[in-house]
Amino acid sequence: MTDRDRQPDDTTPPTGEPVVSKPYIMPDDPEPGSVELLQKEAAESRDRMLRTLAEMENLRKRTAKEVADSKLYGITGFARDVLDIADNLQRALDAVPAEARAAADPGLTSLIEGVELTERSLLNALEKHGVKKLDPQGQKFDPNFHQAMYEVPDASVPAGTVVQVMQAGYTIGERVLRPALVGVAKGGAKAAPAAEAAN
């Protein structure tokens, strides 16, 4: 059997009417309303893209700030522990009266100088890592940095002035590591008008 002898499987006779398929639409002829739909989709996609970019930029800034904060404030616990050592060195220096320092033998003088040098070295190391000592003597009382322990009647300074520092305070970066324990002046200026009014 040859290819000519083969008959097609479809044995239905042709009907005479041509088969009409769906009309072909040229790409240049868009469907009605499709331009508006595409513009709307493009605008929505652009809006989503801009929002995503803004979120990513905010995330980048937040992450950079968190990294900087962790570098600066990551040593907070360690610094608090080291402050006890600084306090003890200061107490050791304060325990030696001025008269004993003046009349000290060379061995005691060397010891005192060694403790002073150690304290300065410790404070320099802390400052190198962002920990600074607060010395509020003579400054106006600030509850953000100072903790008032008592009031001192002193008419020579305005009320609310720090006149005594019991324990130095420290900051780390912008934050308070430990507030300074202070004595605050009552100030005589405010008490005087009240006394005159009573007469």
Side-chain angles (χ1 to χ4, degrees):
M1 224 174 170
T2 64
D3 287 337
R4 277 190 243 158
D5 295 337
R6 280 194 186 171
Q7 299 232 353
D9 292 339
D10 186 10
T11 56
T12 56
T15 59
E17 288 185 28
V19 178
V20 178
S21 64
K22 185 176 176 186
Y24 179 72
I25 298 175
M26 295 294 292
D28 296 339
D29 300 334
E31 294 179 17
S34 66
V35 172
E36 292 82 16
L37 182 65
L38 289 175
Q39 286 175 342
K40 183 180 176 185
E41 287 178 4
E44 288 173 358
S45 295
R46 184 175 190 278
D47 183 54
R48 277 195 307 271
M49 179 196 66
L50 290 175
R51 287 178 188 272
T52 303
L53 287 174
E55 286 176 16
M56 293 307 293
E57 182 64 19
N58 289 339
L59 178 64
R60 186 192 62 77
K61 286 178 183 176
R62 257 193 329 269
T63 304
K65 183 178 181 335
E66 288 173 2
V67 167
D69 283 352
S70 68
K71 284 181 182 177
L72 181 61
Y73 301 117
I75 63 162
T76 300
F78 174 73
R80 278 196 187 106
D81 293 340
V82 172
L83 292 183
D84 290 336
I85 298 169
D87 291 340
N88 288 335
L89 289 172
Q90 184 60 49
R91 285 187 198 106
L93 293 172
D94 292 343
V96 179
E99 303 85 33
R101 283 186 186 201
D105 63 350
L108 181 60
T109 303
S110 295
L111 177 66
I112 293 170
E113 289 173 357
V115 172
E116 288 173 342
L117 180 63
T118 304
E119 182 192 30
R120 276 197 307 270
S121 176
L122 179 64
L123 293 176
N124 287 339
L126 286 171
E127 195 165 325
K128 182 174 141 186
H129 293 283
V131 178
K132 294 181 182 152
K133 186 175 183 178
L134 295 176
D135 188 16
Q137 184 75 30
Q139 296 178 0
K140 183 169 174 34
F141 175 74
D142 184 354
N144 296 317
F145 295 99
H146 312 140
Q147 182 176 347
M149 300 304 291
Y150 51 86
E151 287 185 321
V152 177
D154 189 351
S156 65
V157 293
T161 303
V162 175
V163 291
Q164 293 178 353
V165 180
M166 295 175 56
Q167 186 178 49
Y170 291 87
T171 60
I172 183 168
E174 303 279 324
R175 299 178 188 169
V176 174
L177 185 61
R178 182 180 76 188
L181 304 180
V182 298
V184 181
K186 282 185 180 180
K190 288 187 177 183
E196 289 174 7
N199 289 334

